[in-house]
Amino acid sequence: MRKSLVAGLAILLASCSPKHSVVAGGEPNTGKNLVGWYGCGSCHEISGLPEAKGLVGPPLRRIARRVYITGSVPNTPANLMHWIREPRKVDARTIMPDMGISEQHGRDIAAFLYTLD
Ligand code: HEC
């Protein structure tokens, strides 16, 4: 009973959540190149990028459909950008490194991640 209530709530949340596909000022094609440049694929499988095969972090796919990212942070463009730029400020224990990504690059990468199937 309780379990199905929780499952129902999760489905409700998922269906209510907006599909984040637009990051103001972010350019998805640039973001795609930057993901290659920063080597995100050494830790993540990324849908549509066959060379991105890393298994250290979770596969990056359907990010726009997620209610939460990293299992705890509400999925908003601002939170996704913050995670990309300073993951260790969001979660001090994560092994995802802060890579010195600029604000504009963070925008472009977030815009790209929101296009993933
Ligand atoms: C050294 C390995 C490593 C590198 C390099 C790395 N990540 Fe991560 N990433 C992780 C790990 C591990 C997690 C899971 C962290 C957690 O949930 O606390 C993660 C989580 C994420 C998430 C959240 C995924 C989800 O399912 O909620 C996103 C988005 C992300 N990374 C994007 C990137 C991007 C973009 C880059 C390149 C700029 C990158 N990562 C580079 C290891 C890495």
Side-chain angles (χ1 to χ4, degrees):
M1 180 65 188
R2 216 188 148 87
K3 237 185 193 166
S4 62
L5 197 69
V6 170
L9 193 66
I11 290 165
L12 192 71
L13 269 172
S15 60
C16 289
S17 75
K19 189 173 183 285
H20 300 291
S21 50
V22 178
V23 177
E27 173 44 61
N29 286 327
T30 307
K32 187 176 184 178
N33 292 332
L34 290 170
V35 157
W37 169 256
Y38 284 109
C40 313
S42 62
C43 287
H44 293 283
E45 277 182 351
I46 302 174
S47 67
L49 295 183
E51 67 279 14
K53 291 190 190 136
L55 295 172
V56 179
L60 301 183
R61 52 188 296 273
R62 306 193 75 197
I63 301 285
R65 294 280 181 194
R66 308 264 184 98
V67 178
Y68 290 93
I69 49 169
T70 75
S72 62
V73 182
N75 183 7
T76 65
N79 285 343
L80 181 60
M81 279 187 267
H82 190 201
W83 175 264
I84 291 165
R85 298 185 59 214
E86 301 179 311
R88 296 209 163 143
K89 289 227 169 90
V90 179
D91 175 359
R93 296 179 58 208
T94 187
I95 59 158
M96 179 161 153
D98 289 0
M99 287 175 273
I101 295 176
S102 70
E103 176 161 4
Q104 184 58 49
H105 283 181
R107 273 181 201 288
D108 294 336
I109 291 172
F112 168 64
L113 293 182
Y114 281 145
T115 68
L116 297 179
D117 288 332

